[in-house]
Each structure stands twice: as structure tokens, then as C-alpha cells.
Amino acid sequence: MRIELRVNGDDYRREVEPDLTLLHFLRDVLGLTGTKWGCLTGDCGACTVLVDGEPVVSCLQLACQVRDREVTTVEGLETADGLDEVQAAFVSNGAAQCGFCTPGMIVAVEALLRSNPSPTEAQVRESLSGNLCRCTGYNKIVDAALQAARARLLATDIA
Amino acid sequence: MVDVFVPDTLDEAVGFLGHHAGAAIPIAGGTDVLVDTRTGRSAPEWLVDLSSLPGLGGVELDGEVLRLGALTRIRAVELDPELQRRAVALVEAAKVLGSVQIRTMATVGGNLCHGTPSAEMPPALLVHDAVAEIVGLGGRRSIPLAELFAGPGRTTLGPDELLTSLRARVRASSAGSCYLRQTVRWSMDLAGVGVAASVEVEGTTVTSARVALAAVAPVPLLVGSATETVVGTDLPSEVADEAGRQAAAACSPISDARGTADYRREVVSVLVPRALRIAWLRATGAWPEGVPAPVNGVWTEEDL
Amino acid sequence: MPAGPVGELQVVGHRLPKLDAPQKVTGQIAYADDLRMSGLLEGAILRSPHPHARILSIDVSAAERLPGVRAVIHAGNVEQRRFGYGDDNLPLKGDKVRFIGDEVAAVAAVDEETARRALELIRVDYEVLPAVFDPFEALEDASPSIHDELPGVVGNVAMRWDFDDGDVDAAAARAAAIVEGMYSAPQAAPAPIETHVVIASFSPSGHLTVWSPVHMVFMYRKALADCLGLDWQNITVIQPPVGGSFGGKIDIDSHDFIAVMLARHARRPVRLVMTREEEFIGTRTRQPIHFRLRTGADAEGNLLFRDAEVVSDNGAYNAWGSHAMLVAMSTITSMYRVPNSRIRCAVVYTNKNYGGSVRGFGNPQATFAVEQQMEELADALGMDPMDLRLKNANQSGDVTPQGMKITSCGLSECLRIVREQSGWDQRRGTMRDRHRGLGAAAFIHVGGGARIYGSDGCGAIVKVDDSGQVTLISGSSELGQGSETALAMIVAEEMGVPIGSVQVVNSNTDIKPWDVGVHASRTTFVAGNAARLAAAAARDKLLATAAELLGAPPAELRIRNGMVEVAAEPDRRIDFARAVRRRLLREEGTVVMATAFYDPPTEHQDKEYRGNISAAYGFGAHVAEVEVDPGTGMVRLLNLWTAHDVGRAINPMSCEGQIEGGSAMGAGLALSEELVMFDGQIAAPNFHDYGMPTAVDVPRIVVNLVETVDPLGPFGAKGVGEAGIIPPPAAIANAIADATGIRPRAYPMRPWKVKQWIDSGERSHVVVAKGGLDDG
């Protein structure tokens, strides 16, 4: 099947097997290995990416189902100035330990902040419940999300 | 390897499914279908991708009638402000289904048609008297939602048939509903027991009520006897408890990793009165609008 | 090396981001499955569908004929030797399979789908044998014998761990109160988000390179050689960044050998990737342990004895899990001052997936029993459980009945902190009407190495190049826990250079010096001391050269923030890199490089299980607050206050991260995590049903770092990696007891179980001894 889609701002046209998942399309066809997998059953969230700005688990999304849509992965978040607010907050708060859940977690936080720019701690926890982390106990991830929200609001205010 | 067919119209989809009866299954959000194909629970030759068919999504209200397109995402149900006022059970059921990611992908129709006994949408829709609208090679038909379910993983749909939408009764006032669950984790879990309840009142007196259960029978279960018990009362706790006992008697749970049959029956008898009481508080205006029920229905006055 | 005077610390003690964090938040870092390699084949393993069966024949001919298949291996066509403790295991089973998931055959093919299809074409004839899943049944005479091929194994007992100290019976006769009961821990999984991935590749000359997330790399290399008949000089083990281990990836497993055998047969590099299902079914678990425990005290609350009968449910083979009693025993004998103790323990084979070394290694299980009995005993004596604990708390200078020498000990302080923060004195026992309760638990765990091998040591090399870049080459491994950053901080502190000048290399056995491996919370302590020693030696070389440049003797110099200065006249200074270049760029120049090997003063336990196994011990205490729904049995963890004696926090942010992560894992053990099994079959080997806590399931965990500054730790630090997971099951059980009056007997305390205990009125079993209590 021939599909066209935009990934991290770049347009791609590729021939894909019809049952290829978006996850494997990103990792094996485009070589974007930043998106991880932990279960392939949608239970861990490590493969979370944005499709048209909405968070999905790319392991349960067929590549052919995202034809003509826009995909954002962890590799697409960096800005011209370097790390974006969420990535920077994950670094400074110690929110990444082994780092394997981190790309999916960061994308999930991005999705949250786009729909809710100043979430409460409970809302952060609720919206990240589809992203398992075995290392951190979530404290520092939640802190990073809250700090990123503040940083982004501040940046918006200044702008 | 599975091939994917992308129909442009509903007729094309139905035609393809009918032509490949047994070898083709529809896929929408994919959150159940792709898990099934990966784990070998199903091995279709064709997936018929419904996800871009026009006209099958959307939440519409016409008086007391809610029309939910089968392709409506669970996330859209969860975030719909009008449903939040009129069909809280549906919103609460949506809120606890999987993760944000899963809810963003999964559809109402998929959740119903996968036939999972523990699924969240069926009981929540059953207590709102949902009717399923179906299209197939033989044309269109409508059935009460309860008649859609045939057993674990099975529906009464023919191989050529698709669920297109649901019609449900959602009153704007003097009505309330609620969805509660017993789970192991407080999030990202399947219901060990799921309970939906709806109540309509005149003043404080119950004029109509529904109780529906998930995960305690081969199919989602509407419990008629529990309903009759509460009509005509102001739903005091002893009446709610009696409805719970009747619901427990009506269900037929199994024992598995999530709990024994006896335990599940007992939990039904606990969650049904809680759900009924919260639905009644909502119907009578005593429960503040916008405040969700706790997952297991345990609340104190401070929470309100 | 003694800690020495710790002056004003420039780097150590600061909250620094992990060195690898920027690469991790951008997706740049490449884990094993992200590696791309020319000619790589995909491997797949055929596993036994039976819990116990004799293999009658294997026919792989159809699989071999499938286009794209490059190797099909089974016990009949490979060279392999036994491995595991007591040599009870084979990578590919030849005679019998002993659990559902046991490895029978394997294929390598051009892609994953072909490999999976090839597996379906392999025909195995089995004679199904009676199986046994319950360790108590396995001990009965009539039980099937799982290792009938091993003459030394009688009655399915893989191992015994018996210990005696003092006179338990005499102590029991003096006791004013004795509590007794059964406490059980389930089969659980380390469940890192990254599954096991191993890649094996032979060079044309026969040199084997293995990419594996294993973290006892040097033992791994030797085990590969021993089992597969390879020359271990010709093996390189490379550890890619690890996506979490928690002990699950510590050791060599059958699939590691299988990857190498496939590569050997296919003459191509082969990658084996565990699916999530295989990760649960076929990689190591935390083995269930059952304790029948009695604890007694006198009327004043002085502990008199502990008496334990323990059955450890080993599963089908001996991996590290068979040794979890090493740690469980130390908790029974040495958590608090216990003058008399007796342990009878059998490690029993069953037809189930077998136990490995999972974070905490037997300690959460033992602490679940020991710390529940502390609160049961306190209640029986009419004492506050915190008072009972404080009265019996271990103190610096103690030597425990097993010969563990307690050097630094912050247990009492930890107890006081969580008591205060949780409002224990005002709130415990007062919230039952709201179904809320508080419960506590403390722990002791090795924190200064653990001598389980000939050496307990770790090597380190520090080199400084002409740019001033400092490289630490450490024998230890980074698993995500932040050890790399902690080691870099130790080096930066010791040398006086900025953290940004230090990098750590630690992933290749060709390069790095020997280390036992990452286990027993030892890395900061052992690898940290090694790094500090090497850094100090490198610094001294630097100072010697700087002395020439500054015209002052080395003893009068110091390095601060990368500048070598005369201590008395800080304006007389040079950049440290200049000293490096001065030393290098001249005739007969030399590089600044130093090596060190630190082997802590630890002792092997003797045959009676006595010996100071670790050079330091970590302590801590947790208080949990729960709300129980008596209707459904659902338990919500509302609060978890923790205080940990970490010696010194090299990087407080990382220490907190370890404790928070461990605590959440402990909360998962307590309330939800279990590999539920029916007839040897894991019912639902997936994340959904396993029950790992989400961000909603755990509250904000409060962490207090107590710094006792251990005399031997680097800058006083002790190990902290495992600690957090140990107390939560016990603390949460005690909190449920406080909320409901029932006494939990097993974890996970899933809703149906809690409901059952509430309905059956499960209570503490208090035995009132002679001279008994007035109020029982």
C-alpha cells in the first residue's frame, strides 16, 4: 500500500505492508528509533506518538490508517533552541532513569499540555496512567510535567 | 499476513464484509483488533478499515434522544460537556476505559462489537435504553442494545453487518446516572465488576430506573428485577441494598485471576446500591454537577 | 579506603541531572533493539507448552526447509553443557521440560515473521508427566520428581538454609507474648519496560561479540565460555544502554546461550528479542516464599526470639532466586536486635518459571513477615509499635547473630522521622471508622557490597587527556539507576574538576576492568570507592606536574573547579589541563592515568551462615496510610512517608529517584502485582493483568535522606538501589490491619483477598506464654 504522511514536519511517501504498524513504520522504515515499544498491546505507552496532535499508542495503529495525517515523535519535539520545555524539565528533575519509557512519557505530557496548559497534579497523573514507568515511581515525572507547564505558560506570557 | 481494505462508503464496506464473510473483520480504532491478531485470538485475512468512513462519528442530541455514531471516539464521549450533564454514566465509563491514548483511538462501536464481557460502554449505554442501529447487505435494522451481545467475544451481528450508531434516552432533568467499578489497579484496568445505574425521578420519588452489569455474565447484563424494586421509592439505603441483592442473584460470574465468582457476586451487591444512590442524588440535584463519582463509589459528604 | 575527612564538597551532595538524560529525552540513545547491523538474523525460541514432560523426539526438517530459515537448533544438534547452581539447567532441553516456557528449540531466520512461522513447523513429541506447582506438595513423598536426573536432589529440595543462634525454645518459655502466623509472597516479575534483547555475532576468525543488557558481564562471559565450549579470551560482551533491569537482567539465561548457538550455526549475527509475553513466561521472576514465623518478646518489649520455617518456591531450576534466602535470613536474624533465632528453610523445585535476583532479593518477602509481627507483637504487649521498634533498633557498633558488623546505622532516626511526619502518635488506631489506617515497616539491607564470589571488587581507570577531558573507565554498569553520574561526581569531587569534564566508559569487557557486577546495591559503594581511589592517584600525578609549573610543593596545592592553585595563595593558579599537557608534551612525557581495584573488607559467610557479608548496611523506615473499601476490598494507598539512611547522598536527586522508584515497585508488590498461575500456566502474561502501578496508583512518595556518613563508603555513601522496595508490602499490610482490624496473610493484597480476610475475620494469632498478659 502506498501512503503519504508527514512525520516531524517532513513529508514521506512510502510503500508499506498493509498490516505494518505505525510503530514499526517509524522505527524500521523511517529509522526513527526514538519511539520505543514495551508490550505491543497498548498497555505500557512507551510507543506513544501524536497523530494530528492527539496521543496514540503507535503499536496499535496501522501505518496505513494514518495516511495523509501528521505524526509527531519524540524526535520532532526539539526546537531551534534545543530541548523543548518538557524535555528540559525531564532532564532537570531527574525524570528519566533508564529512559526507556521517557520518549512515550514526554510525548504524552506534550499531548496533555496542548489540551490543558495548566494541569493539576491529579490531572497529570490521570493523563499519564497509560504510560508505565518502572524506575521513578512517577514523582519526578509529575514534577517535570508541572514544571514544563509553568515554563511554557511563562514563555507564552512573555511572548 | 493480513491485508487491509479501505472502503470509501458504508455500502462498499458492507459489500466487502459480506463477500469475504468469515475472512474479513472490521477495524476502527484498532485497540482490540490488533491485540487479537497479534496474540492469535483472531486470524482474519482481511481488515476492513472503517476509520475514515464519513458520517459514522459524532455526538448529536435531539430532545431526549442521543445519537452516538459508532465511530465516535471514547475520548470524545469523555470530554463531551452535554453528555456530562445528561449521561454521566457514559462519561464515567469512558473516563475509566484504558488510557488517554486508548480512548483517543478506540471507538464506541468497537467497544460494543468486540463483545468483551467487562467492556465499559455496554452497561453505561444499557441504562440509557440504547438502541443499536445496524446496516448489512439486507438493509438497516434496529435492535435494543442488549440483543447485540451473544457471548464473550461474540455479537449477534451477521458477518456482513456493521453497527452504525446508537440511539439512547438522555433526559435533561430529573434524571441521573452513574458508572462504578471494582478493579485491582485504580487506572488502566479491566473491570472485575462494572455497574451502571440510571434513575429518573419526580420530586424525589423514583419513576424509572435501570441497572446494568459488566464482567459478571457472558454478556453485559440489564437487571430488570433490581429496577422494579426501586421504582416508587425515595431510594432509601435498604431499598438500594435490596436491589443490590437482586442484581447479585441475577448475575452468573466466573472465577478467574480477578476474583472468585462468589466475590464478584458480593461486589455486585455492594456496587449496585452505591451506583443507584449516586444516580438518585444526581437526579434529585443533590450531587453537584461536574463532580465525578469515585471509581468504587465510596464518597463522603466532604467530597461533594 | 576510609572515607577520610570530607571538607567542603563541590560536586558531591548536589542535585545534578544524569549525564545521559539529554540523550534519553530526545530519543537519541540507542538501546539493544535500536542497534542496526548488517546481515542480522532474527531468532525465535520454541517453548514448552507443558509444565512437565519428557521430550520423545524433535523433528525440525520442515522448519529447516522453510525459505529464509538459516538455523534450527535443539538439544540434538548443538554443543552445550549444563549451567546453573548444581548444574541443573541446559539452554535447550534434551530430556525433559520442567515448566511452561522451557526452551526446546530455536530458529534464526531473515525476519521475525519467518522465524515465528518456522517455529510452528517444528514437531515435538512429548510424554506428559505429572507436574507439581505447590511447593508444599512438592515436598511430599508422592510428588513427581522434577530433577530425577540429579542424584543429589531428594524430595525436590534444591537447597536448604538452616540457621541456629542461641536457644529459641528457652527464650520462648520466657516470653510474655508470642505471635505466630503464615505470611506468603507471590510470584512477581521485575518487568522492566524494555524486554530482554541479545545479539550475538562471530567474526570470521571466531571472535564472539555479544550485545546484552546483562549486568554481571564478566561472569556472563565466563558462563558463555563454560557452557558453549568457547575460549573466553575470544568473547567480548558489550552492554548497550539498559531499559531497566531491577535484577531481571542480572544473570545469564538460556536465551543468551541460544542466541550464541544460533549465530554459530547460522554463521550470521543473530538477535533474539523477547516479546512481552516471553518476558513474563520465560525470563526470571521473583520466586514465591512462604514463612511460618513466630516472634516473642518479654513484657518490657525486649525481643527474645524469632523462629521461622520457610519454603521458597524455586520453580524449575536454580538461578539466583535459589539464593534469596541469603538476604531473607539476614532480615529474620538481624532486623532489630534478636538474641535467639532459628530458621529452617527448604528451597523447593516446582514446575513453574524459576526465580532470579529481583530488586530486594528475598527481603520484601521476609520483611512482610517480620515487620507485621513487630506490630502484632506490639499490639499484644499493649505497646506502640514504634516504641517497640525503637527499643530493639540496631545501633552503630552492633554485631548481629550472623556476624554482620553494623558500622553506621540511622534506623532510629529514620523511625522517628516517619513517625513524626505521618502523625503516627495522633492518628494510628483512630481512623478505623473511616476505614483508614497507618502502618510502618523498617528494613536492613546490604549497602557496602556483598561477598558472594571470590572477589567482591571493582576496577577503575581514570585517565586525563590533553584537552583536560577526564575519563573514568569503570567495571560497573549503568542500568538507569544513575550510577554513572554518581561515579562521575565522585571523580570530579576527588580531582577538583567540574562535572562537565568527566565522562564514564563502562560498557565493554575489552576495555573495562573487572567487576563482580551490579547487584546487592553495591555500585556506589564499591565502584565508587574504586573510582575515588583511581581519581586520587590521577590527581596526585597532576599535582606533581603542577608543582613544577607553580613552583610550590604538591602538598601545598589543591584543585578547585578545574584550577590548580596554591592553597595559601589562590591567585597563583593554572588550569589543570595545562598540567596534563605539561606532563605529556615533552621528552619522556607520560599520560595522566591511574588504576585502582577496590575490594571491600567483606567476608564470605561460613557454613553456619555467619560472616560480615557487607562492609556497610543500609537502614530505613516507611509509614503507609491506606483507605480500605470494606465493600469491595479495594485499597487505596494515600500516603507513603519514607526515611532512608543512605550514608551520604552523592546525588540527592538520584537517591530520591531510587527510593521513589523502589517504593512504587514495593507498593505494586503489596497491592497488585502477581503472575497469577493456573496449573503452571501464567494466566495472562501481559502488562494489563500483571498489575504494575500507574501514576494514579501511587501517591506522591515523601523521601527523607538520612546521612550517617559511613566510615568506609565513598564520601560516606552506602548503597540505596534496592532499599525502597523492601518495606511497602509490610507497611501497607500493617496499615490495612490498622484500618480494618484484620491481619493480611499474603500479598498482593488484591481486593478479593482483602474482602475475604474481612469476611472471615482473619486476625493475629497471639500466644500468651507463661506469666502472661493481663489483657491478652
Side-chain angles (χ1 to χ4, degrees), chain C residues 273-337:
Chain C
V273 179
M274 298 295 126
T275 63
R276 177 55 55 190
E277 184 181 27
E278 279 182 294
E279 188 76 13
F280 280 123
I281 289 174
T283 72
R284 303 292 65 79
T285 63
R286 184 191 297 278
Q287 71 286 358
I289 309 183
H290 307 275
F291 298 84
R292 176 168 294 284
L293 185 69
R294 291 197 304 151
T295 306
D298 68 18
E300 284 73 49
N302 297 298
L303 290 179
L304 292 176
F305 74 94
R306 285 203 188 110
D307 186 10
E309 288 171 41
V310 186
V311 170
S312 180
D313 184 355
N314 200 38
Y317 303 98
N318 285 338
W320 274 109
S322 61
H323 282 54
M325 270 310 290
L326 183 82
V327 174
M329 179 182 281
S330 68
T331 289
I332 295 168
T333 65
S334 305
M335 178 77 251
Y336 308 109
R337 292 167 165 172

Side-chain angles (χ1 to χ4, degrees), chain C residues 230-267:
Chain C
L230 299 165
D231 174 4
W232 54 331
Q233 283 186 11
N234 258 328
I235 302 175
T236 301
V237 182
I238 297 175
Q239 187 199 41
V242 179
S245 167
F246 318 102
K249 294 169 180 165
I250 195 169
D251 197 8
I252 198 154
D253 257 323
S254 290
H255 62 255
D256 294 287
F257 300 113
I258 289 169
V260 174
M261 291 191 287
L262 283 171
R264 189 152 66 176
H265 276 242
R267 299 179 164 277

